Amino acid sequence: MCGIVGYIGSEQAAPILLEGLKMLEYRGYDSAGVSVHDGCRLNVIKAKGRLQALSDMIDGGKAVCGACGIGHTRWATHGKPSDENSHPQVSNSGNIAVVHNGIIENYLQLKDFLSSRGVKFHSETDTEVVAQLVDYYYEGDLLKAVHKAIDRIEGSYALGIMAADQPDKIVGVRKDSPLIVACSENGNFLASDVTAVLKHTRDVIYLDDGNYAVLSLKGVEIYDSFLRPIDKKISHVDWDISSAEKGGYEHFMFKEIMEQPEVIRKTIAPRIRNKKIVLDEINLSSDFIKSLSKIYIVACGSSYHVGMVAKYNIEKLTRKPVEVALASEFRYCSPIVDNKTLVVCISQSGTTADTIAALREAKRLGGRVLSIVNVVGSTIAKESDDVIYTWAGPEIAVATTKAYSTQLAVTYLLGIYLADCLGTIDKDEYERFLNEIMTIPDKVESILKGKGHIQYLASLYFNNQDIFFIGRNIDYALSLEGSLKLKEISYIHSEAYAAGELKHGTISLVEDGTLVIAVATYQKLLEKTISNIVEVKARDAQVLSLTTESGKPLVGQVSDNMIVIPDIDELFLPSLAVVPLQLFAYYVALMRGCDIDKPRNLAKSVTVE
Ligand code: F6R
C-alpha cells in the first residue's frame, strides 16, 4: 500500500526521494508527493497518478532544491485519489508536513476538536489531522509536538514529519505499520520498506511500535514511547539490490515465477539435515505437539490458498483436525482457540492488517502462534511465538508467485515434522517424503522449460470473458489460486469451484465455448473429476486440463487441450501444478496488454482492515 521515504544529507533530496519511491511503486499506489526544505521554506509538490507524473513536474527532482525531505506514494483510503488528498499533508499555517501509512481511526473526533478551535481542513484524508494536530501542539520542539499528538491518536501509523522552521530535521514514529531508519555515508534515511534505501546502504534499524526517530545531519537518534533515548540493533540486509530489480525481465512477476526452483531449494534444503527435518528456529515441545487438540491456519488471499492445501495435507499426515480461516473473518467468528491450539499464520509481507489482528486475537485466547513469513522482522514475525521464514527474497510483483511456492514448501516441512513427532507416519514414509520433497525444485525447473506450450494455450483463450476452474481436494485449493492469479492480473471474470459442487448451481453459467480449466492431478479422485469434466463438455464447454504423466491417458480423452506435469507424491503436487497456472495467468494478461506488476486497485501489502 502506501510508501514512505525520508532523506537528510549532503545530496539534493528530491532525486533521492523519487528514486526511493520508485522502489516502493510495487506496493500499489494512486498518487505521490514530496516535501523538500530549501533552507528557507518547505516546498510541497504532489500529483495524482503515476510517480512519473510527479517526476515530470519537478524535472526528475532537479527543479527542487534542498537536502532534507520526505516523500510518499498513496493508496487511497480516506478520500479519492487527487492532488489535495495526496501526501505530504500540510497544516494550515504551512509549518508542518506529514507523510503517513496506516489509518487514523479517531480522525473524525480529532477533526471536530481542531475545527472547534478554528482549524480549517482542506482534504478528505485522515492524515491531515496529524499535520494539524502536530501544528496545534508545536512550540518550537518538533519531537515534543509529535509526542503530544501521538498521545491523542488512535489507529495505525508510520509517520514522517517535518517543520518549516526546522530545515534539518525529520521525525518518524510508528505503530502497527512498518518503518525503518538507516545511515549511509551521504545521509540518513527513513522508509517504510528496506527496498527504498538499498541503493545507499544495507544496514538498517527496524523501529518497533512506539519508537520515535529523529533524523538530522549528525545521524539518527531513537527514543522509546516516553522519549527516553534507546539503542537499537542494526540489522544487515543480506539480499542484494538486484533481487529487487527486474534483471532483464520484462516484468517482476515473470522474473519471480522463474526464480521458483531456486527459492524453493533455499527454503527446503537447509532444513533437511542428515535425513531429518530440522526446524531449529521453532520451539514446539513434543508434549505440546502431542497435546494439540486442533490446528488453525489463518491467512488472506493467496496465503489462505496455501492454507487450504496445508489443511488437506496436514490433516492427512497428522490426523489432527485442521481448520483454515480467512484472517478477516477469524476474529469475528468466535474462534474456538485455547492452549491446546496451534494457530499458523501465513503471510508474505508480515504486515497484513487482518492477519495481524487474527494473530493478536489467537494469542488473547491462549493459542500458540506459529507464523510462516517472508519479510524478516515484520510485525507478524515479531509478534508470533515461533516463526519459520520462507526464503523467497523480496517479492515485488503484486501478484504473489514465489512467496506462495515457498509457503507451500514450509507447510510440507511442518506437516511431516508434526506427523513424525506424533508417530502418525512410519520411518519409510518419512524417508520417502524427504526424498520426494527434494525433487520439487528440479521438477519445477522442467515445467518452466515448457512455458512455450502454455504461452500457446494462452493465445487460444486470452479473449474469453469468463473462465471457470474446477478441481477436487488439493486440486480445488489449486483452482482457487489459479483463478485468483488469472483475475487479479488479466481482469477476466473467473471463479473456482470444487468440481463436485458445480452442478449445484454454477453449471447454469456454462455454455457453448465457456472455458473450464480442470485441475486433475490428484490421482485418487481422477475418475470423479473426469465425470465432472464430462458434465461440462456435455454443455459444450471448452476444457483445458492440467494433469500428471500418470493422469494423461485418461484425462486426455475428455479434454480439448492439456498441460502435463511430472509425477510426484500427491502431498507435493501443488508445488508443480501451480506453476503452469501462474504462467497461464501471466501470458493471458500479457496478451491483453495489462499492467501485470501493478494491477488496478491492488496493493502489495494490505495494511488496512
Ligand atoms: C495475490 C496476493 C494476495 C496476498 C494477500 C495476503 O496474488 O498476493 O492475495 O496473498 O494479500 O498477503 P500476505 O501474504 O502478505 O499476508
Side-chain angles (χ1 to χ4, degrees):
M1 291 194 140
C2 310
I4 290 176
V5 189
Y7 169 75
I8 176 162
S10 54
E11 317 245 322
Q12 287 298 299
I16 292 179
L17 296 177
L18 288 174
E19 173 195 84
L21 292 177
K22 180 113 200 92
M23 297 305 289
L24 299 181
E25 268 193 306
Y26 76 94
R27 297 171 64 89
Y29 71 102
D30 38 49
S31 55
V34 292
S35 161
V36 177
H37 209 297
D38 64 9
C40 301
R41 54 190 289 268
L42 270 175
N43 294 299
V44 180
I45 307 100
K46 313 194 281 189
K48 178 182 158 191
R50 289 288 180 219
L51 191 58
Q52 193 57 45
L54 174 70
S55 181
D56 290 346
M57 278 167 79
I58 54 175
D59 191 15
K62 290 201 274 296
V64 183
C65 282
C68 177
I70 48 181
H72 192 259
T73 44
R74 171 176 187 256
W75 189 84
T77 56
H78 295 60
K80 58 185 184 314
S82 68
D83 294 352
E84 299 72 44
N85 290 334
S86 310
H87 301 194
Q89 285 289 316
V90 181
S91 63
N92 261 343
S93 68
N95 193 38
I96 302 292
V98 171
V99 289
H100 167 219
N101 290 359
I103 287 188
I104 308 300
E105 281 165 8
N106 60 340
Y107 82 107
L108 288 174
Q109 287 110 292
L110 293 172
K111 210 167 173 174
D112 283 350
F113 164 77
L114 291 162
S115 301
S116 69
R117 279 152 181 80
V119 175
K120 296 260 174 308
F121 284 83
H122 305 283
S123 77
E124 300 159 273
T125 66
D126 53 336
T127 305
E128 190 181 352
V129 300
V130 182
Q132 306 285 16
L133 197 62
V134 173
D135 204 359
Y136 177 78
Y137 287 122
Y138 188 71
E139 289 173 341
D141 185 330
L142 184 58
L143 180 62
K144 279 200 178 134
V146 173
H147 188 247
K148 279 191 179 153
I150 287 298
D151 207 33
R152 301 202 54 177
I153 286 172
E154 287 165 22
S156 59
Y157 45 81
L159 292 162
I161 304 175
M162 293 177 72
D165 62 356
Q166 307 221 359
D168 48 10
K169 191 174 278 180
I170 302 170
V171 171
V173 57
R174 68 155 280 186
K175 179 177 161 272
D176 293 343
S177 195
L179 197 62
I180 58 128
V181 289
C183 301
S184 80
E185 269 173 19
N186 62 353
N188 305 316
F189 295 85
L190 179 77
S192 51
D193 185 331
V194 285
T195 45
V197 304
L198 274 186
K199 276 206 173 127
H200 305 275
T201 177
R202 294 216 230 140
D203 291 328
V204 304
I205 293 172
Y206 294 93
L207 297 181
D208 286 316
D209 279 356
N211 287 173
Y212 291 76
V214 178
L215 284 76
S216 66
L217 277 171
K218 283 185 279 168
V220 179
E221 286 154 8
I222 300 173
Y223 301 88
D224 69 8
S225 57
F226 300 102
L227 295 191
R228 293 176 300 210
I230 48 171
D231 281 334
K232 302 272 305 178
K233 189 175 116 225
I234 296 178
S235 305
H236 186 73
V237 179
D238 56 9
W239 42 267
D240 197 76
I241 184 73
S242 62
S243 323
E245 287 179 335
K246 280 191 205 149
Y249 288 98
E250 196 179 343
H251 296 100
F252 278 113
M253 182 178 177
F254 192 65
K255 175 178 178 252
E256 288 163 4
I257 291 174
M258 299 304 283
E259 281 171 1
Q260 288 179 113
E262 184 197 330
V263 294
I264 296 171
R265 199 173 284 120
K266 258 184 159 171
T267 299
I268 294 174
R271 291 172 169 131
I272 299 183
R273 287 182 234 147
N274 300 325
K275 301 198 172 159
K276 274 300 249 189
I277 295 177
V278 182
L279 298 179
D280 45 18
E281 60 258 75
I282 63 173
N283 211 359
L284 300 182
S285 70
S286 99
D287 283 350
F288 174 71
I289 294 172
K290 285 181 181 140
S291 74
L292 278 177
S293 58
K294 174 180 178 180
I295 298 170
Y296 238 126
I297 304 181
V298 184
C300 303
S302 293
S303 299
Y304 169 79
H305 297 156
V306 170
M308 291 282 290
V309 173
K311 175 193 160 65
Y312 288 115
N313 280 346
I314 297 178
E315 253 175 12
K316 198 187 297 168
L317 285 164
T318 64
R319 304 315 300 145
K320 295 273 184 191
V322 181
E323 201 167 325
V324 203
L326 289 165
S328 53
E329 290 292 313
F330 177 83
R331 86 172 148 146
Y332 304 114
C333 72
S334 317
I336 301 173
V337 171
D338 60 20
N339 62 1
K340 292 198 172 94
T341 314
L342 179 67
V343 179
V344 179
C345 292
I346 308 179
S347 176
Q348 186 284 127
S349 61
T351 50
T352 301
D354 286 320
T355 314
I356 293 173
L359 179 159
R360 290 180 182 161
E361 177 65 0
K363 288 189 82 169
R364 193 185 67 78
L365 295 168
R368 183 173 180 106
V369 177
L370 181 155
S371 291
I372 300 174
V373 178
N374 194 42
V375 177
V376 176
S378 54
T379 306
I380 293 176
K382 277 191 184 154
E383 293 193 17
S384 301
D385 299 299
D386 300 282
V387 187
I388 307 181
Y389 281 111
T390 49
W391 298 118
E395 191 178 62
I396 306 293
V398 164
T400 181
T401 52
K402 62 174 181 169
Y404 172 96
S405 286
T406 52
Q407 288 168 347
L408 269 184
V410 170
T411 65
Y412 302 149
L413 292 173
L414 182 65
I416 302 167
Y417 179 86
L418 294 176
D420 181 42
C421 180
L422 290 164
T424 45
I425 52 173
D426 63 31
K427 195 166 159 285
D428 288 352
E429 279 175 303
Y430 185 79
E431 265 176 30
R432 189 168 56 77
F433 290 151
L434 295 202
N435 289 338
E436 283 281 271
I437 203 173
M438 296 296 276
T439 69
I440 296 174
D442 287 348
K443 288 181 178 169
V444 169
E445 192 120 45
S446 76
I447 295 167
L448 290 171
K449 284 201 181 115
K451 59 187 182 301
H453 176 57
I454 296 163
Q455 188 169 18
Y456 162 73
L457 293 170
S459 76
L460 300 182
Y461 298 120
F462 76 98
N463 270 328
N464 279 49
Q465 302 273 313
D466 307 283
I467 299 182
F468 293 90
F469 285 73
I470 57 170
R472 286 169 178 265
N473 197 276
I474 46 172
D475 287 337
Y476 169 48
L478 267 162
S479 298
L480 291 168
E481 178 59 9
S483 170
L484 179 65
K485 220 70 313 161
L486 181 75
K487 69 185 135 200
E488 67 182 333
I489 60 168
S490 74
Y491 315 140
I492 294 176
H493 166 249
S494 172
E495 290 181 41
Y497 271 85
E501 181 64 16
L502 203 65
K503 58 185 166 299
H504 295 286
T506 308
I507 202 164
S508 65
L509 295 173
V510 174
E511 52 186 13
D512 193 2
T514 303
L515 178 62
V516 176
I517 299 186
V519 185
T521 68
Y522 189 58
Q523 194 70 25
K524 285 192 188 121
L525 293 173
L526 208 59
E527 279 160 14
K528 303 272 177 212
T529 306
I530 286 173
S531 304
N532 302 127
I533 296 177
V534 175
E535 284 159 15
V536 296
K537 289 283 319 158
R539 273 101 192 150
D540 295 320
Q542 277 283 312
V543 172
L544 165 61
S545 295
L546 170 59
T547 191
T548 57
E549 286 292 347
S550 310
K552 183 171 143 187
L554 281 181
V555 175
Q557 291 174 36
V558 293
S559 309
D560 296 289
N561 279 295
M562 216 173 12
I563 301 168
V564 181
I565 57 170
D567 286 312
I568 193 164
D569 185 277
E570 62 190 35
L571 280 186
F572 314 121
L573 275 168
S575 287
L576 308 192
V578 75
V579 178
L581 300 179
Q582 296 166 341
L583 285 168
F584 183 76
Y586 173 79
Y587 285 124
V588 166
L590 190 67
M591 285 165 201
R592 291 167 72 91
C594 299
D595 190 352
I596 293 180
D597 285 335
K598 289 178 240 114
R600 69 183 178 211
N601 302 338
L602 295 182
K604 183 67 186 161
S605 115
V606 184
T607 49
V608 294
E609 243 197 272

